[in-house]
């Protein structure tokens, strides 16, 4: 991903994909996050990409915020207007993600969020849609979970939705669930592969898993 020998140019990109400060002393450590290894578990994988649609009001607001190159007519775009446009896009995606979650509740859903703040917001949205608190698990910092058919049978504790920030990609198992719903977040491929592996791993008893973006 560099065009000359000045590999430190990677730093600005690597800062977006690792949860620690990146500098000229440790950027090669951060570069390890670009590496990944795939394992075939034998489970059939379905992938679905869904475009979240603007309402007429949302489309008009978006057009006012962004420049012509992005479909709008703002002749003086700024960091603030672009930030507002990005937030609007995420809000529209949130609505679609909640809709898809409600449609797949019976299969068990791993809902992947942008960050902790987004995680809490999606939790509140699910409650408003009628999902019970006891059916939702929030994977928070310092916590872990092993949710499999076996643990449910043994302990009697089950969840229909587990909400996880994108950077919490390792150290837990969710093979009880067979659907993962996410949006497009700043992340690296290794993280995305790891997060998908929370439901597609040894112990997944469903014939297929579905990834909805």
């Amino acid at each position: 991903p560099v065009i000359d020998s000045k590999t430190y140019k990677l730093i600005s990109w690597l800062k977006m994909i690792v949860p620690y400060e990146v500098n000229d002393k440790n950027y090669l450590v951060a570069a390890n996050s670009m590496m990944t290894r795939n394992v075939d578990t034998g489970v059939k994988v379905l992938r679905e990409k869904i475009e979240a649609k603007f309402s007429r009001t949302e489309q008009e607001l978006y057009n006012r915020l962004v420049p012509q190159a992005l479909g709008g007519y703002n002749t003086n775009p700024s960091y603030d207007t672009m930030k507002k446009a990005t937030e609007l896009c995420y809000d529209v995606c949130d609505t679609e993600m909640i809709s898809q979650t409600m449609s797949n509740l019976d299969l068990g859903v791993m809902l992947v969020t942008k960050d902790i703040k987004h995680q809490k917001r999606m939790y509140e949205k699910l409650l408003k849609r009628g999902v019970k608190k006891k059916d939702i698990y929030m994977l928070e910092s310092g916590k872990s979970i092993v949710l499999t058919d076996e643990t449910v049978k043994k302990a009697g504790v089950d969840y229909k939705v587990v909400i996880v920030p994108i950077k919490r990609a390792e150290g837990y198992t969710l093979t009880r669930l067979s659907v993962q719903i996410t949006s497009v977040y700043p992340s690296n491929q290794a993280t995305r592969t790891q997060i998908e592996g929370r439901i597609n791993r040894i112990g997944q008893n469903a014939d297929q898993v579905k990834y909805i973006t």
Side-chain angles (χ1 to χ4, degrees):
V2 290
I3 59 173
D4 53 38
S5 61
K6 298 176 182 178
T7 53
Y8 63 83
K9 292 179 180 179
L10 280 170
I11 291 175
S12 61
W13 295 96
L14 293 170
K15 283 180 177 179
M16 296 192 294
I17 65 172
V18 296
Y20 52 83
E21 182 181 353
V22 182
N23 53 49
D24 60 352
K25 299 291 192 299
N26 71 349
Y27 74 95
L28 289 179
V29 176
N32 282 319
S33 293
M34 296 190 296
M35 314 304 172
T36 184
R37 176 174 179 266
N38 292 326
V39 176
D40 185 359
T41 61
V43 178
K44 183 178 180 181
V45 174
L46 299 179
R47 297 185 183 276
E48 187 174 357
K49 294 183 180 180
I50 298 174
E51 182 179 352
K53 302 292 186 180
F54 282 133
S55 67
R56 182 176 298 178
T57 302
E58 290 164 340
Q59 184 70 67
E60 176 60 28
L61 175 57
Y62 177 82
N63 290 344
R64 290 203 304 268
L65 291 169
V66 302
Q68 186 175 9
L70 293 176
Y73 45 78
N74 185 354
T75 57
N76 189 30
S78 64
Y79 172 80
D80 186 58
T81 58
M82 294 305 293
K83 181 180 178 182
K84 288 180 180 178
T86 301
E87 290 172 351
L88 173 62
C89 290
Y90 273 122
D91 286 343
V92 175
C93 288
D94 287 353
T95 300
E96 183 62 36
M97 289 172 72
I98 293 296
S99 177
Q100 292 296 323
T101 299
M102 299 302 296
S103 298
N104 289 279
L105 274 183
D106 291 343
L107 297 174
V109 176
M110 178 184 178
L111 187 58
V112 182
T113 62
K114 185 172 182 284
D115 49 34
I116 295 174
K117 184 178 179 180
H118 188 207
Q119 181 188 34
K120 293 177 179 177
R121 189 163 68 246
M122 296 299 272
Y123 173 75
E124 295 297 330
K125 287 178 180 290
L126 286 173
L127 293 180
K128 287 182 180 179
R129 288 293 297 269
V131 182
K132 297 178 181 179
K133 287 184 178 181
K134 68 178 182 66
D135 291 328
I136 307 173
Y137 183 86
M138 296 266 283
L139 186 62
E140 299 170 341
S141 179
K143 289 187 177 181
S144 185
I145 182 174
V146 177
L147 186 66
T148 68
D149 293 340
E150 290 72 22
T151 60
V152 171
K153 185 176 181 180
K154 184 176 181 180
V157 178
D158 198 4
Y159 299 101
K160 293 183 178 179
V161 185
V162 177
I163 313 178
V164 180
I166 182 70
K167 289 188 177 180
R168 291 296 310 278
E170 301 173 352
Y172 58 95
T173 298
L174 297 174
T175 54
R176 174 71 171 175
L177 316 176
S178 59
V179 177
Q180 185 177 113
I181 298 174
T182 186
S183 187
V184 179
Y185 309 123
S187 60
N188 65 71
Q189 185 57 48
T191 295
R192 292 191 291 271
T193 300
Q194 288 279 7
I195 205 93
E196 289 188 358
R198 298 311 96 198
I199 65 171
N200 186 8
R201 59 195 297 110
I202 301 299
Q204 175 56 262
N205 293 322
D207 294 333
Q208 63 184 30
V209 293
K210 182 189 290 187
Y211 296 101
I212 301 174
T213 304

